[in-house]
Amino acid sequence: AAAAARLCSGAGGEAEAADGDGAMLRHLARKLRASGPVTVAEYMREALTNPGQGYYTRRGGVGESGDFITSPEISQVFGELIGIWYISEWMAMGKPNTFQLVELGPGRGTLTEDILRVFKQLASVLSKCDVSVHLVEVSPKLSEIQAVMLTGGKVQPNPEDKSAYMKGVSKTGIPIFWYRDIQDVPPGYSFYLAHEFFDALPIHKFQRTEKGWREVLVDIDPEVPDQLRFVLSPSRTPATQNFIQPEETRDHVEVCPEAGVIVQRLASRIEKDGGAALVADYGHDGTKTDTFRGFRNHKLHDVLSAPGTADLTADVDFSYLRKMAQGRTATLGPIKQREFLKNMGIDLRLQVLLQNSADTATREQLLHSYDMLMNPEKMGDCFNFFALLPHHRLVHPDKKDKPESQSPLPPVAGFNELLLK
Ligand code: SAH
């Protein structure tokens, strides 16, 4: 199949069913028979990150030879512009003498690789800054691919001096550490990055019925052996009580509490130690309903068929992320990918690359990947950028008292037009 990106819900064709080797299905079927239906969140967690059979653990999925393609895999320009975003924020925040770049769910490591190339090219700007890279990755398979991409495979497992499970040095000489959980990353001034990460975290699904809200659960179909089906909880569950707002107007709602917890952690860390977080993903602002879907071999895949062999995903609810920052940081966005990249200067970068490429094939490839990233019908409109920033980055702390005494704060790149000085 031609490499395809995972677009917003509703953008695909018919879902394909497929068989794997069935190990995950047998494991789930045993569990469901023994202890009854599970929440969609529990099903998704098992299917994606079960340590033995999970999709990310075993298959990995990202890239042309995998099940879906992502922006950093489409064009190096994407990561370069994000690298410039971090440098621009680092400068706006007074050039602290050290920072950690922390990426959640780095996939094949391509995005970090492109960012580190920009850091190297701008070494004279960053010269007095001590930079380190911290990758949060649960998949042993993907962490191996990242290690090869970023260090040439020269890594040390279980280093004694750190909470990391692996460490190495980038080809450009920057130390890199791997962790399973954001909580293991040492505190300190940090720039966080989550690209197509939050959409992979487990969601709960709820349905409004005549009797009130019910949670959608996954059960075994009694009529067909080893086939799964959705059922509704017979009564309210703890999750229906906790996650549905009294003023909710939709009939079907998806909530990702794990995303909420991670955003709370990011916001607390930024509030305490400084830095910023950039989140990029497909999503909505609390308006969409049923977005849970699967991908395999670049095609839509039935979410209940052959679990563990397909990627499962749901749109990110940015309004929920904003709420979970709980005012500890300011938030910006979501802003559409095509606007963010335009503000970051993608058109100028494309012109330079076109001028520098001699052959037609490369030029066509450049134009094609630009179209994938920017076209509103492709990734331009349904992918969004969202940022967490310390309050003082947007408003002077004592602005109210002495409005004239302060110089204006520089605008945040990407969310405003980039000022090329
Ligand atoms: N950012 C990459 C990859 C996106 S796929 C890109 O855009 O190309 C999602 C990534 O998140 C994978 O690396 C997957 O292994 C990782 N992942 C999924 N669930 C995770 C979890 N709970 N904790 C840490 N990493 C996770």
Side-chain angles (χ1 to χ4, degrees), residues 69-133:
I69 190 137
T70 58
S71 296
E73 303 293 329
I74 290 171
S75 168
Q76 65 174 73
V77 175
F78 186 83
E80 289 169 356
L81 295 177
I82 290 184
I84 291 174
W85 191 86
Y86 286 114
I87 292 193
S88 148
E89 275 311 294
W90 172 76
M91 290 169 79
M93 294 191 202
K95 303 187 184 175
N97 55 15
T98 172
F99 73 79
Q100 312 188 125
L101 175 68
V102 183
E103 187 178 1
L104 309 178
R108 305 182 62 81
T110 314
L111 189 47
T112 291
E113 170 89 345
D114 292 338
I115 293 173
L116 291 184
R117 197 175 49 253
V118 169
F119 287 2
K120 170 132 181 105
Q121 280 158 359
L122 295 177
S124 59
V125 181
L126 279 171
S127 66
K128 293 196 190 76
C129 187
D130 183 12
V131 181
S132 55
V133 170

Side-chain angles (χ1 to χ4, degrees), residues 6 48-49 56-57 60 62 68-73 103-111 136-139 142 146 179-181 194-197 199-202 258 262 311:
R6 303 180 298 179
L48 290 183
T49 55
Y56 281 117
T57 325
V62 195
F68 59 93
I69 190 137
T70 58
S71 296
E73 303 293 329
E103 187 178 1
L104 309 178
R108 305 182 62 81
T110 314
L111 189 47
V136 179
E137 176 57 73
V138 278
S139 159
L142 284 172
Q146 293 150 19
Y179 313 82
R180 283 185 193 88
D181 195 298
H195 184 261
E196 290 210 33
F197 169 73
D199 71 74
L201 300 181
E258 222 169 284
I262 293 177
D311 168 52

Side-chain angles (χ1 to χ4, degrees), residues 97 118 128 205 214 225 326 382 392 404 409:
N97 55 15
V118 169
K128 293 196 190 76
K205 282 171 89 66
R214 295 290 182 263
Q326 296 173 319
C382 71
H392 62 77
E404 300 82 4
L409 289 160

